[in-house]
Each structure stands twice: as C-alpha cells, then as structure tokens.
C-alpha cells in the first residue's frame, strides 16, 4: 500500500509544482460541486427552480427553498407538481412567521412546510378530479376542488397561474399550505 | 529487486514531497488531507479487489468492472445481440435468444443476483432478468458467458427478478405488469380489476450444474410486483416482494397508482408452497415458454419449447401469502444480513418502514389482520413494524447493508445515499450523488456476509459530470468508501447502458476458477475441425459446409471455389489454438450478420448468403499474431448454372478438386 501512496504522492506533488491547473483537476479532495441546480444549461427548458428564481413574485419561496436546502431536490428530474405561494401569500402569514422559519434551528419545520407544497408526479389540471387527494412529499395529503376552470386547494387556497416546467408543473397559489401538525 | 525499486520510489517520493512542500505548501496540504485517489488507485498490472457485476439496463447486457478502480473488463452479452461477439448471430448462439415470440434480439436487463451458499457468495453464477420479454439468464462465472435463458410464462414483464434464496435453491420472477391469463386473454384493457392477474415464479436451480426449471408459480392479485428479496438466516424459507398499484389502475399510473397511502410488501412462505406442491395442490396450466441452454462442450445452444407450469392459488391454499401495508408505492424491498429486518422503500413515502420478521411471524400466529386484499390476509402495519426511519430524504429507492449494522438507502429525488442504523433507525450520515441515484451496491450487501468497504451509486443522470457527447450522455457509477464513520466519494466512472442493480464480489472467489481455454479434445461440436487435415468443404444441396480451422496465422482452407448463387454457406470455424488469450476472428465480405470471435478450442459458425458473383475476401478480425494481417483468404462465387467445381485449399499452388 505504501507503494501506491508514494506513487500517488509523486504524481500529485510533481503536478502541484509544475502545473497548478492540473493539480486542481486530480486533487483527491473534492469540492462540493453543488447538485443539479448548479448545472450550466441555458438551452433546455427551464426547470421549476429556475422559473421560481426568475420570478419577482417568488423571492420569499426561493429564499425558503435555499434555507431548507431544497433547491437541489427540486432541480431533480422529478417530475414534480409544486404549489408555489407568491410573496403576497407568504405575507398573509402572521408577522414574523417567515423570518422565524428560515432560521437554521427551524430547518426541519421549514422543510416540512415546503415538502407539503411538492407532489412527486405531474398533476396536470385535466388529470385532476373534484375532491381528489394528492399525497405530498412530507407524507401529508392535500385536497383539490375544481370549480369550473379554477383549482382550489385545501378549501381556501386558489391556484392563480399554471406554469409548465421541464421537470413538472408549477401551480402558483395565493396562500401558503400549512400541513396538519402531527 | 522489488525491494530496491520500492526503496528508490519511496526515496523519490520523499524527495518530491520535500520539493513540493518547498514550492507549494498549500497544494501539499490539500493532497495530504485527501486519500481518495489513493483508495481508488490500482497500479498498472495489479488487480482490483472486487469484481463488480453490473446490469446494463436497456443495453440488455451485463458488464464487469473492477472495484475500486472502476475499470471495465468485459461486457457479457445476455439478452441483446452483440455482433462483436457474434451473440445471436452465430448459428450456435441464435437459439439462446429464442422465445415463445420467436427470436427476440433485445431486452432490458435490470437486476443481478450472484449465487450464494448458506447466504454467502459462492462465485458460481450470476443471474439477470429480462424485463420486457420475461426471461431469466444464468451466466457461468468461470467463462463469463450466458449459459442458460429461461422464459417466464404468465408474466407481463419480469422486473421483480432474479433474486435468489439463501442456497440458490430458487431464483424468483415476479411480474411487473399484471395481465389477463389462463386462456381468457383477449379482454378490454379497462377490465383490469376483473381479469388481470399477477404471478411470481419460483425457479429451481440445480445444485450441480445450475440448470433452471420453473418449480411453481403463485397466482396473485393484479398489482405491479416491483422488487424482491429472500429471507435469510431466521427468515430463510420466506420471500418478500414489493407491490405497487394496489389501486389496480390500467392507465396514467403516474397519478392513478399514487392514490393510496399504502401499498404492500408481500411475504411468501415458500417452504409452505413447496409442501402444497408436494401434496399435489398445484394446478397444471398450459402455457408456452422457451428454455435455452448453451453447452460448452458442443459449443452450441439448444432451445426447447415447454408447455406446462404448476400454479398455486393462495386463495385456496392458506398460510402461504400475506400482505403487509407499506407506504406509497414501495420500490426496494431489502432484507438485512440477519434476516430479521425487511426494509421497504416507498418511492413517494416520507419515511422508510422497517419490518420485523419476528413480529411478522407473531402477527400471523395471532391472526393480527387488518383486512383482506383479494382474498389474501393483510397484516396490521403496526403489528409487523420494527419502526420507521423518519424524514430520511426524498424518494427512497433501495437499501444495501454493511456488516456493522448499518443500512445505506438511495434517494432518487434528493440525489443522495443516506446511512442509517438498523437498531435505532437513526440517520448517521448522508452524501450527495451526481445525479439522481437509482440502485446502489455494497459488496456482499444483499448476503448474510457483506464484504463492506465501499458503496457504489448507480446514477441515472450525469448532465455536466463528464465531457458532453451530444444529447445522449453516459450513465455513471460513483464509488464511496464506507470504512470510516463518514462516507467519502472516491471515484466517478461511466457505465454501459443504464445500470440498475449490481453486485460486487471478492475477486478471489472468481479469479482462480476462470477458464483460459476450451480443450480441443473436449470439443463435441458436430462441425468441429480438430486438425488442419480435417478441414473440408461439403455441399448438401444448396447448403455448403466449410469445416475451417484457424491457427496463427492462417485459415484452412483459405481458397474456396465452386460456391454458387443461392447457396447457404456455413463457415464452421474451429480455433485450433490451445493458448490463453489467443482468440481468432472471422469475417467475410458482405455478410449480413456479424463476425465470429472464436475462443481457443472453440467452434463457431457464420452463415453467409452471397448476393452476387465474384471473389470475396475473408480475414481474421482479432489481432492474433505478428502475421495477423496475413491471415486471410478468398471465396469465389459463381452463377447458379456454372460448372466451377467445389474446391478448397491452403498453400497449394493450384486448388485441389473435391475428393
């Protein structure tokens, strides 16, 4: 084994002296590269995260996703249906709620709330039926009601826009979905 | 001599270290902290510690890598034709891909099972499943070749397969798609709930030669069977299968099979099933399936169509099948090394349930049932649960185990491997994968004796991980060390096809048994040419049989005349070499199939049907020797009406006339 270590040492140190660029490439200490959200790709259709990041009405949601370390997850192949509360929707929560939730010690609670906004699967409007329950990523269920063209979630939250994304579907909602406390 | 080299390299290493320290202290620190490259590095000429037998997914093949280096050694053709190795193109191998649907040149190989004795790897065989046209293949680990393929009747897609029992008594095949069966097959698709049924098959494996035989099938409700694991140790005699689509949807499963909060893990008492079979309780059903066997003495395969299978109905035969509720579309269903714990991974679930075999037995004993599902008892969830891993990640798929009481679960959506402790269900570590892991593999992970050391992630998506190659990118594996408290990424390597499940086995269990040559004196091929003097060309009507030999660096015969338009020319090429790693190839211009690649001592046959007159070159395709480029010949094709006599020769100035 020593033999291996010294061969490697030889290689690494030689390169570190002669060619810092290459040294970086073979460095055995891997930098955390970030997940799929870090992939450079301006050609593909935008995924849910990229759409949210580009939306002026969803800065609170994006901040919450970042605080919960969910940016990478929602950049995944999915497919997801994400109920995306607007900044105004977050504004309806009691004062200080959001500020409290993004604190590091509240991460689990924040994750639970955000997961309650995400279903794995593309629940297009034409696949929905009135009164249907949908299992959300946190293990809870939501109920959707259909009223003409309108989708109402958990009785009082309205879908105000539908945005297809490369990895699923965003339903923009005017309220924050609050999971039943367990 | 070796020690001198060692010392000098050691010395040079130190020297470089000193220089490096002097010129770039920061780089030095980075390198010293990380030993990842060292851990994955296998010096040139040295061997890997493990063989990694990896499913090829939609390539239909199996691949063989070394661990920890990630070096690819071989792609074993299994369910898909491979013109490089003439698999499915040579006359000898064509029967291997025969099915009740005729010749099927492609399939989708998802899972590997390495044979075990007493629950521990024995290095004899690897099994693989065909997901599309349901089949199981058995690969001989002395030759790394597919020796047997068995079609599975009453199956709509063999996904839940080819997992094995502790002593390789059985390999199982659970249908992913339930289908209408038993004569009543032409039915409306939306009569699913009424007419569609599932089955799992128990296929016995002969202890001595590995030959497979469908021992019995169990008729089951129409759901989707996904994955499976045998019990082991205390749970030997049982088999566990994950089932989804308990909603029994036949369309838009993305939505319609995700309705219920719980689907099932199915527990089968196969010892009880054996008792029922012995007691004559199984019903003979008429079916149709192919059983294909490759014989390494005749170097040829035979395909037999079989017509009967024994079916057990759990509605009428109690004590054999139970369902356990399992959250949200369970995918992975994995038993720990002790056989006590069964881990279900609901791909849409927020928890990982861990079931206790002891509790399962108790619940059955006390008839602690929740309900019935299509006549089969459903055990109470709480009664059989050891506990749940809470909030482990998003999209749990599969679990492997080490020998220290830890489990490793893959998470597709959150792209990570999560390590957790089986006893108290606590998460102890997590590492990201790049990206979207499917299966994972700890060497020996599904056995009673995990070899540990590494966990390998098999990823579905690579996006920016490698140099791009257009829209279609490689899938990948990632190697992590697990011998410390923290999992640590060591290596990325690309894979063939799309890897699903894989197993890794210590090289020492396979390497000493590896076959080097086939012995010529054991060659029982009916068209073998066991010496150059036996080389000949025979006409039987429009069939022309060329008994050809190859040895460095010529064919006998290498000049053939008298072939006529409309002839079917069979080149039966025997490689007369008895020397390790000296295959010969054979190709002839205009062949509509493939080349031959003939191992030492082997005979293989290529059918050639020329479509024009002329003189056609043929040559050796495998660089066999310094005079490989001289290893060539010609075959002359004349009009059907011609009088050119059938002649053949090598080295003669003039062709000899036929004797």
């Amino acid at each position: 084994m020593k033999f291996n270590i010294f061969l490697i040492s030889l290689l690494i140190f030689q390169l570190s002296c002669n060619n810092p660029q290459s040294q970086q490439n073979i460095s055995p200490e891997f930098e955390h590269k970030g997940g799929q959200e870090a992939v450079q790709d301006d050609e593909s259709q935008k995924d849910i995260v990229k759409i949210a990041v580009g939306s002026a009405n969803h800065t609170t949601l994006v901040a919450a996703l970042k605080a919960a370390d969910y940016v990478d997850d929602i950049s995944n192949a999915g497919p997801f249906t994400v109920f995306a509360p607007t900044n105004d929707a977050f504004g309806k929560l009691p004062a200080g709620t959001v500020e409290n939730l993004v604190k590091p010690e509240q991460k689990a609670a924040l994750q639970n709330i955000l997961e309650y906004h995400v279903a794995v699967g593309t629940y297009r409007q034409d696949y929905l039926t009135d009164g249907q329950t949908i299992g959300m990523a946190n293990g809870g269920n939501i109920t959707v009601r259909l009223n003409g063209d309108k989708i109402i979630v958990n009785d009082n939250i309205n879908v105000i826009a539908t945005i297809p994304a490369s990895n699923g579907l965003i339903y923009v909602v005017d309220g924050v979905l609050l999971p039943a406390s367990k | 001599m070796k020690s001198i080299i060692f010392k000098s390299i050691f010395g040079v290493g130190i020297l470089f270290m000193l220089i490096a320290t002097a010129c770039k202290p920061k780089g030095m620190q980075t390198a010293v902290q990380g030993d990842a490259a060292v851990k994955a590095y296998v010096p040139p000429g040295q061997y890997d510690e493990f063989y990694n037998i990896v499913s090829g997914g939609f390539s239909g093949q199996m691949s063989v890598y070394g661990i920890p280096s990630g070096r690819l050694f071989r792609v074993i053709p299994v369910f898909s034709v491979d013109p490089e190795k003439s698999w499915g193109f040579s006359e000898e191998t064509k029967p291997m891909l025969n099915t009740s649907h005729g010749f099927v040149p492609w399939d989708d190989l998802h899972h590997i099972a390495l044979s075990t004795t007493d629950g521990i790897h024995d290095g004899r065989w690897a099994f693989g499943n065909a997901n599309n046209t349901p089949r199981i293949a058995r690969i001989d680990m002395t030759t790394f070749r597919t020796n047997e393929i068995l079609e599975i009747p009453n199956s709509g897609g063999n996904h839940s397969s080819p997992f094995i029992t502790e002593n390789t008594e059985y390999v199982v095949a659970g249908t992913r798609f339930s289908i209408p069966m038993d004569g009543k097959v032409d039915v409306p698709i939306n009569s699913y709930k009424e007419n569609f049924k599932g089955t799992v098959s128990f296929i016995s494996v002969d202890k001595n030669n590995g030959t497979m035989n469908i021992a019995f099938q169990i008729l089951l409700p129409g759901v989707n069977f996904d994955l499976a694991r045998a019990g082991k140790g205390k749970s030997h005699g049982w088999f566990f299968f994950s089932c989804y689509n308990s909603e029994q949807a036949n369309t838009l499963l993305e939505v319609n099979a995700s309705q219920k909060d719980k689907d099932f893990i199915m527990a089968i008492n196969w010892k009880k099933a054996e008792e029922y079979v012995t007691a004559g309780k199984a019903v003979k059903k008429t079916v149709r399936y192919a059983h294909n066997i490759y014989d390494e003495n005749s170097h040829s395969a035979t395909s037999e169509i079989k017509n009967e299978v024994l079916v057990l109905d759990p509605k009428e035969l109690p004590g054999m099948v139970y369902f356990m509720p399992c959250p949200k579309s369970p995918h992975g269903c994995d038993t720990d090394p002790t056989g006590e714990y069964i881990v279900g991974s609901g791909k849409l679930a927020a928890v990982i349930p861990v079931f206790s075999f002891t509790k399962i037995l108790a619940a059955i004993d006390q008839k602690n049932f929740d309900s019935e599902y299509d006549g089969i008892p459903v055990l109470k969830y709480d009664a059989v649960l050891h506990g749940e891993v809470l909030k482990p990640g998003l999209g749990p798929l599969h679990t492997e185990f080490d020998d220290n009481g830890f489990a490793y679960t893959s998470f597709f959506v959150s792209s990570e491997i999560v390590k957790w402790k089986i006893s108290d269900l606590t998460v102890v570590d997590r590492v990201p994968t790049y990206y979207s892991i499917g299966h994972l593999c700890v060497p020996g992970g599904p056995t009673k004796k995990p070899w540990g050391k590494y966990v390998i992630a098999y990823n579905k998506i690579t996006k920016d991980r490698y140099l791009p190659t257009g829209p279609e990118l490689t899938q990948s594996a990632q190697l992590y060390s697990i011998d410390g408290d923290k999992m640590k990424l060591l290596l990325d390597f690309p894979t063939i096809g799309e890897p699903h499940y894989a197993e890794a086995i210590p090289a020492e269990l396979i390497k000493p048994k590896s076959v080097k040559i086939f012995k010529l004196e054991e060659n029982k091929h009916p068209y073998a040419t066991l010496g150059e003097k036996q080389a000949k060309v025979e006409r039987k009507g429009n069939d022309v049989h060329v008994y050809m030999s190859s040895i460095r660096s010529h064919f006998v015969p290498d000049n053939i005349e008298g072939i006529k338009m409309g002839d079917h020319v069979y080149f039966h090429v025997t490689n007369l070499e008895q020397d390790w790693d000296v295959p010969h190839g054979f190709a002839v211009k205009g062949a509509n199939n493939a080349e031959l690649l003939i191992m030492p001592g082997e005979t293989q046959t290529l059918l050639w049907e020329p479509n024009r007159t002329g003189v056609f070159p043929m040559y050796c395709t495998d660089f066999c020797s310094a005079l490989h480029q001289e290893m060539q010949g010609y075959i002359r094709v004349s009009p059907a009406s011609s009088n050119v006599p059938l002649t053949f020769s090598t080295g003669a100035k003039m062709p000899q006339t036929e004797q």
Side-chain angles (χ1 to χ4, degrees):
Chain A
M1 202 56 197
K2 258 183 187 161
F3 178 76
N4 302 354
I5 292 166
F6 281 102
L7 263 187
I8 291 278
S9 311
L10 184 104
L11 191 67
I12 290 169
F13 295 130
Q14 193 173 14
L15 288 166
S16 70
C17 260
N18 299 342
N19 187 343
Q21 195 73 40
S22 304
Q23 190 272 342
Q24 197 182 1
N25 289 345
I26 63 157
S27 166
E29 267 310 287
F30 301 105
E31 300 264 326
H32 179 68
K33 251 194 84 178
Q36 290 183 62
E37 86 284 358
V39 172
Q40 297 297 310
D41 177 7
D42 297 325
E43 225 174 298
S44 301
Q45 186 188 2
K46 283 189 165 60
D47 63 31
I48 288 167
V49 168
K50 284 183 176 149
I51 290 171
V53 167
S55 160
N57 291 328
H58 288 93
T59 53
T60 308
L61 176 65
V62 170
L65 286 171
K66 284 180 180 164
D69 274 337
Y70 272 162
V71 173
D72 181 30
D73 295 27
I74 311 301
S75 303
N76 186 278
F80 305 107
T81 300
V82 172
F83 293 86
T86 59
N87 292 345
D88 288 348
F90 280 104
K92 291 181 194 170
L93 295 172
T97 307
V98 174
E99 291 74 5
N100 187 45
L101 279 172
V102 296
K103 286 178 183 164
E105 63 269 25
Q106 290 297 318
K107 190 170 167 184
L110 178 64
Q111 286 180 334
N112 186 44
I113 290 177
L114 290 174
E115 285 177 11
Y116 191 57
H117 289 77
V118 178
V120 180
T122 310
Y123 287 83
R124 271 167 35 185
Q125 184 160 0
D126 50 341
Y127 298 158
L128 297 177
T129 51
D130 190 35
Q132 180 174 351
T133 58
I134 298 175
M136 308 307 280
N138 77 329
N141 287 324
I142 60 165
T143 307
V144 291
R145 303 285 310 280
L146 301 180
N147 184 0
D149 284 348
K150 290 186 177 160
I151 305 171
I152 300 132
V153 185
N154 286 357
D155 294 330
N156 56 3
I157 290 166
N158 300 296
V159 172
I160 53 179
T162 304
I163 308 168
S166 65
N167 60 345
L169 190 63
I170 301 173
Y171 285 126
V172 179
V173 285
D174 66 356
V176 177
L177 304 172
L178 294 173
S181 50
K182 286 185 180 171
Chain B
M1 184 62 196
K2 210 169 190 181
S3 71
I4 294 169
I5 291 172
F6 254 79
K7 276 178 193 159
S8 57
I9 287 173
F10 185 90
V12 174
I14 292 284
L15 185 65
F16 267 96
M17 270 171 73
L18 290 172
I19 296 167
T21 311
C23 75
K24 208 168 179 73
K26 204 176 165 201
M28 164 93 184
Q29 191 163 5
T30 309
V32 171
Q33 281 169 355
D35 57 354
V38 173
K39 284 187 165 177
Y41 183 68
V42 177
Q46 296 202 19
Y47 293 135
D48 280 280
E49 189 179 355
F50 294 97
Y51 283 101
N52 190 198
I53 315 296
V54 184
S55 61
F58 46 61
S59 84
Q61 320 296 44
M62 258 184 218
S63 53
V64 182
Y65 293 83
I67 295 295
S69 73
R71 296 179 294 189
L72 174 65
F73 302 142
R74 176 166 169 77
V75 176
I76 305 169
V78 184
F79 294 117
S80 293
V81 294
D82 182 354
E84 173 190 325
K85 299 176 179 67
S86 211
W87 183 251
F89 294 102
S90 69
E91 295 307 297
E92 289 78 4
T93 59
K94 279 177 183 173
M96 290 303 285
L97 300 179
N98 187 41
T99 73
S100 64
H101 302 270
F103 182 84
V104 173
W106 169 89
D107 218 299
D108 186 13
L109 194 163
H110 279 221
H111 311 122
I112 306 290
L114 298 184
S115 58
T116 55
T117 300
D118 191 26
I120 300 170
H121 279 154
D122 60 22
R124 302 178 75 190
W125 307 299
F127 298 88
N129 66 318
N131 195 35
N132 183 47
T133 302
R135 284 169 288 169
I136 291 182
R138 180 174 54 83
I139 285 78
D140 185 327
M141 297 313 287
T142 66
T143 58
F144 287 79
R145 305 215 288 193
T146 306
N147 272 10
E148 187 177 9
I149 292 181
L150 177 67
E151 191 179 359
I152 313 296
N154 289 332
S155 174
N158 188 30
H159 190 270
S160 188
S161 183
F163 306 100
I164 55 168
T165 54
E166 195 168 281
N167 297 298
T168 322
E169 295 97 335
Y170 295 104
V171 51
V172 298
T175 183
R176 168 183 164 185
F177 295 89
S178 283
I179 47 168
M181 55 180 78
D182 203 11
K184 197 181 173 188
V185 295
D186 181 14
V187 298
I189 296 169
N190 66 8
S191 70
Y192 186 105
K193 285 179 178 149
E194 182 191 340
N195 288 322
F196 287 44
K197 292 287 173 197
T199 60
V200 300
S201 306
F202 281 73
I203 294 139
S204 62
V205 179
D206 186 282
K207 265 197 186 100
N208 299 313
N209 58 27
T211 304
M212 298 186 285
N213 180 46
I214 303 177
F216 56 89
Q217 294 189 317
I218 299 179
L219 186 68
L220 293 160
V223 298
N224 291 37
F225 295 96
D226 207 353
L227 287 152
R229 282 290 183 204
K232 43 185 171 292
K234 61 168 73 169
S235 55
H236 180 60
W238 288 75
F239 223 112
F240 305 96
F241 295 79
S242 57
C243 325
Y244 65 105
N245 193 21
S246 58
E247 295 87 349
Q248 301 192 311
N250 57 279
T251 182
L252 196 66
L253 267 64
E254 176 179 6
V255 171
N256 296 331
S258 306
Q259 296 299 303
K260 290 192 176 176
D261 281 341
K262 291 197 172 63
D263 293 281
F264 302 119
I265 299 284
M266 176 175 69
I268 288 187
N269 182 344
W270 57 260
K271 294 265 188 191
K272 188 83 184 168
E274 281 181 336
E275 286 171 22
Y276 282 134
V277 172
T278 307
K281 302 287 186 187
V283 178
K284 264 186 198 168
K285 297 277 185 188
T286 302
V287 289
R288 195 172 145 76
Y289 63 100
H291 188 189
N292 312 329
I293 295 179
Y294 195 87
D295 180 329
E296 294 288 14
N297 289 318
S298 67
H299 303 294
S300 302
T302 49
S303 177
E304 183 189 354
I305 294 290
K306 295 184 167 175
N307 296 302
E308 227 171 53
V309 74
L310 291 175
V311 177
L312 295 165
D313 186 347
K315 281 192 204 175
E316 287 159 20
L317 304 169
M320 185 171 64
V321 182
Y322 299 91
F323 283 128
M324 305 189 286
C326 184
K328 309 250 30 148
S329 301
H331 190 57
C333 173
D334 299 288
T335 36
D336 86 313
T338 67
E340 167 64 12
Y341 300 109
I342 300 105
V343 180
S345 298
K347 40 189 183 283
L348 307 176
V351 298
I352 302 174
V354 180
F355 301 97
S356 151
F357 181 69
T358 307
K359 289 185 174 182
I360 292 169
L361 287 189
I364 291 170
D365 194 43
Q366 295 154 16
K367 297 202 184 327
N368 205 347
F369 302 145
D370 186 57
S371 57
E372 276 196 355
Y373 184 84
D374 201 13
I376 293 170
V378 180
L379 299 166
K380 278 208 174 106
Y381 181 67
D382 291 336
V384 293
L385 191 69
H386 162 59
E388 293 173 338
V389 184
L390 298 173
K391 299 275 177 183
L394 292 179
L397 291 185
H398 306 280
T399 301
E400 291 263 295
F401 305 92
D402 69 13
D403 51 350
N404 296 313
F406 292 100
Y408 300 80
T409 301
S410 60
F411 288 80
F412 178 83
V413 173
S414 49
S415 275
E416 60 186 336
I417 297 173
V418 174
K419 177 181 177 182
W420 50 277
K421 200 170 179 183
I422 302 169
S423 57
D424 64 10
L425 305 164
T426 53
V427 171
V428 296
D429 191 23
R430 51 180 77 230
V431 286
T433 67
Y434 305 93
Y435 306 101
S436 295
I437 180 176
H439 283 268
L440 75 177
C441 160
V442 172
T447 71
K448 275 162 84 172
K449 187 180 174 184
W451 312 102
K453 255 188 126 160
Y454 305 106
V455 61
I456 308 158
Y458 299 94
N459 299 314
K460 303 299 185 190
I461 292 170
T462 55
K463 287 198 188 268
D464 61 352
R465 284 303 276 189
Y466 299 94
L467 287 173
T469 53
E472 189 173 350
L473 302 173
T474 184
Q475 274 82 12
S476 82
Q478 291 188 286
L479 180 74
Y480 301 80
S481 68
I482 57 169
D483 42 14
D485 287 341
K486 293 280 175 191
M487 292 179 280
K488 194 166 177 190
L489 177 59
L490 306 179
L491 182 73
D492 277 22
F493 59 97
T495 55
I496 62 136
E498 182 186 55
H500 292 257
Y501 189 54
E503 283 208 53
I505 177 170
E508 280 312 311
L509 291 179
I510 291 180
K511 178 174 155 275
K513 297 188 276 193
S514 201
V515 166
K516 293 187 172 67
I517 58 169
F518 296 109
K519 289 182 180 140
L520 268 177
E521 63 264 29
E522 291 170 8
N523 184 326
K524 303 290 180 231
H525 194 291
Y527 291 96
T529 304
L530 297 177
E532 292 187 352
K533 286 188 176 145
Q534 293 181 18
K536 59 185 174 184
V537 181
E538 280 181 354
R539 171 179 289 283
K540 286 179 182 166
N542 279 335
D543 291 347
V544 178
H545 293 275
V546 180
Y547 293 70
M548 183 182 268
S549 68
S550 62
I551 196 161
R552 283 164 282 182
S553 303
H554 58 272
F555 294 107
V556 179
D558 70 2
N559 278 209
I560 301 167
E561 297 196 0
I563 305 299
K564 294 176 188 174
M565 285 296 292
D567 281 351
H568 313 290
V569 183
Y570 293 89
F571 292 99
H572 308 285
V573 187
T574 301
N575 180 349
L576 294 179
E577 307 279 357
Q578 292 287 271
D579 188 3
W580 192 18
D581 198 17
V582 189
H584 287 291
F586 175 82
V588 56
K589 187 182 172 188
N592 293 110
N593 35 26
E595 66 159 341
L596 293 176
L597 206 54
I598 313 129
M599 297 304 119
E602 190 182 31
T603 304
Q604 290 285 289
T605 302
L606 191 74
L607 170 61
W608 185 61
E609 295 165 306
N611 71 347
R612 67 192 71 171
T613 57
V615 174
F616 298 84
M618 48 196 188
Y619 73 103
C620 173
T621 54
D622 188 309
F623 204 109
C624 57
S625 63
L627 296 175
H628 162 73
Q629 206 67 352
E630 281 69 26
M631 194 164 170
Q632 66 170 55
Y634 291 103
I635 183 164
R636 177 181 167 193
V637 179
S638 305
S641 58
S642 89
N643 295 320
V644 178
L646 191 65
T647 59
F648 57 92
S649 63
T650 290
K653 283 184 180 168
M654 297 293 289
Q656 298 158 355
T657 50
E658 190 178 12
Q659 299 303 309

